[in-house]
Amino acid sequence: MTTTPFEIKAYPEMWAELDMDVPRFDKARLMLGEAYQKTYLSQVNRPAGMAYFDSMIAELHGGRVKELLAAKAEGRPVIGTFCVYIPEEIVLAAGGICVGLCGGSQGSVPDAEKILPRNICPMVKSAFGFKVGRICPYFQAVDFVYGETTCDAKKKCWEILDTLVPTYVMEIPQLKRQRDIDLWLAEVKDFKTKVEEVAGRAISEEDLAAAIKVMNSKRKALQRLNGLRHHNPTPISGKDGLLIEQIAFYDEPVRFTEKVNALCDELEERIKAGVAIPSKNATRVMLAGTPMALPNWKIHNLVEGAGAVIVNEESCIGTRYFKDLIDESATGMEGMLVALTDRYKEIDCSCFTPNDERITQVVKEFRDSKAQGIINYSLQFCHTYNIEEIRIRKACEQEGIPYLFIESDYSAEDLGQLQTRIEAFLEQIGE
Amino acid sequence: MYIGVDLGSRTVKMAVWDGEQLVDHQIAASGFEPHRQAEKMIAAWRAKRVVATGYGRHLAAEHFADAVITEIKAHALGIFNHFPGCTTIVDVGGQDSKVISLDAAGRVMNFQMNDKCAAGTGRFLEIMAASLAYSLDEFGAAALGASREVQINSMCTVFAESEVISMKNRGIPRDHIARAVHGSVADRLAAMLARLGHGETIAFSGGVARNPCMIELLGQRLPGVRVLVPEQPDIIGALGAALHGAGR
Ligand code: SF4
Ligand code: SF4
């Protein structure tokens, strides 16, 4: 445990150059640092390999931003993203960088509510508020934002966001018939053209093949980490697991892959040595549902604060991001783009209908992770996940899986009630 | 003696169980420091084990309690003691309402709680009673005696209150509005019960179970279901905690 207080490093000059609201952002930085110290650094017996990820948080508002600005200076595109349907390989192939802009903080919600209706998803509000309030360096640094036609909240916000930062919208179909997949492929090709335009160069077959390898390796590393979390007893906390999944959305992919693999080596040693986090008989819980964007650690905090451990996130910031790989045997530009689209269509977001695959996947991940119960988490006002809840609940009833559904936003109002519900759920599993 | 304390949002409840039966119980206002209040209440007894439940349970554990259980489990234990075989519980307390389903052995199988807003809770009834200038007891009695029931549509406390005000201004009699308020809470509870599923008997606990109109209207909304109310509905949580201490 550290004795010096943890601080997220300040870069006021760079922030000013990025036209940020520096005094306000600096306050937010201190608060986040405190929250991180309390939530993360107070954990006991963390793996040594987490030091890298701690440093990624310490440099959240500086180091990584500098790398983005350096890339931009070289003419490489920097693209802000909101969804795991972004074909990252194409951006990488053009020498570009993707950075996830999903918002997980209550702090920026009031900014958004000055413009947007209040009764929409907090993730959309939080992200939007970061731009409006000029309190996110990543948002200020991107060339353009990639939006997509998944849920209504996002789809309609792109129109408003576009007045603040250029927003490119890719159509993601809502069904998965052949004609939808054909449309999807055409959209992928358009996106490639757009990225090439911004990069000022064409993407070659070699570029794309290499980018596919990079992303596959990154996804394999995350799969490996997830597999190790499934070991009973688990060698790493759910909070740390989630943190790594969150950092995956803004870190440099090759370096990130190395660090995750190094951590996995350490976790394998821990498993051999019988290390158990937090203890051998901690109740194992799996989370399913909507993404938990940085710094949304609300549910993990409550569950692990009650002595249980989270061993899997069936979520976009979780397995939906890394469970599928692109077939590397495909050749030729057309062949690779088809293989890429095939991979992306495997993502089972609730925006699709029907979405039976997800129901099966949730049960599969429950079995794989040797969890004892599922907490299904939906952000408030997210219609698709909230409604799909009914089918997940039915499936859990059928399979005899202890199940709890939580709908919540980022505010602290419901913490007391959620704590009671989560503790009661753990009691129920324990009986 | 096994003591259970339920540190709720409005009141602290205590129950003393001697291994066979309930020998004492008390209810007091929570005050600013509910754990101090609870400590005072248990001081007269030499307890083998003190178990805390309710919103203040962790605070109690920091100061004096030997163990904590959630309200959900506490109500399950308390009701199972009164009505073994009854597998559905409705509990409406000061700041939340819950529906719990049990298996035949009294174990919690599933539960639901109201969302974070106050609608459908004791607090909601209090606010509505105040805006109609009734005391809580008058409120339930007036509603029970009303000849007609009008409909309140809003489930949100803030909107429901303005709906009540506009009803007053339209000249709708006070007791009819009182009945409408009770009806809206009963609707909400019935909806929670329908979602979770329920048996042929339902046990009603928590302070609101003292309100005769609530019992009647809930019963009306659940044809064929018998609503059972324990003698001391407000101390069921505390009793459950005491029973837990005794090894139940
Ligand atoms: S939940 Fe759906 S829309 Fe949201 S990030 Fe995930 S895939 Fe995209
Ligand atoms: S959580 Fe739901 S509402 Fe929010 S952005 Fe994702 S799909 Fe849209």
Side-chain angles (χ1 to χ4, degrees), chain A residues 409 417 421 423 427-428, chain B residues 57-58 70 73 109 114:
Chain A
D409 61 7
Q417 207 214 45
R421 293 177 58 194
E423 286 180 17
E427 284 172 350
Q428 182 191 332
Chain B
R57 64 190 180 281
H58 292 293
T70 64
K73 184 166 180 170
M109 297 301 290
N114 65 307

Side-chain angles (χ1 to χ4, degrees), chain A residues 121 123-124 151 154 290-291 351 379 382 384-385:
Chain A
C121 164
M123 194 158 71
V124 172
C151 71
K154 291 205 278 183
T290 49
C351 293
L379 285 167
C382 172
T384 55
Y385 280 89

Side-chain angles (χ1 to χ4, degrees), chain A residues 82-85 102 123 148 150-151 154 290-291 316 320 347 349-351 385:
Chain A
F82 282 98
C83 176
V84 294
Y85 283 115
C102 284
M123 194 158 71
E148 71 311 305
T150 44
C151 71
K154 291 205 278 183
T290 49
C316 297
R320 267 200 288 287
I347 301 174
C349 171
S350 67
C351 293
Y385 280 89

Side-chain angles (χ1 to χ4, degrees), chain A residues 317-332:
Chain A
I317 300 185
T319 54
R320 267 200 288 287
Y321 180 62
F322 57 74
K323 71 178 170 61
D324 310 301
L325 301 176
I326 296 182
D327 179 2
E328 288 182 27
S329 68
T331 52

Side-chain angles (χ1 to χ4, degrees), chain A residues 76-95:
Chain A
R76 296 161 55 196
V78 176
I79 300 174
T81 70
F82 282 98
C83 176
V84 294
Y85 283 115
I86 166 118
E88 276 185 74
E89 290 78 3
I90 290 177
V91 181
L92 277 190

Side-chain angles (χ1 to χ4, degrees), chain A residues 263-285:
Chain A
L263 174 75
C264 288
D265 294 341
E266 184 189 350
L267 295 184
E268 277 167 4
E269 290 306 315
R270 286 185 145 218
I271 288 174
K272 274 188 218 144
V275 176
I277 296 292
S279 67
K280 275 215 163 54
N281 34 29
T283 304
R284 300 167 67 86
V285 174

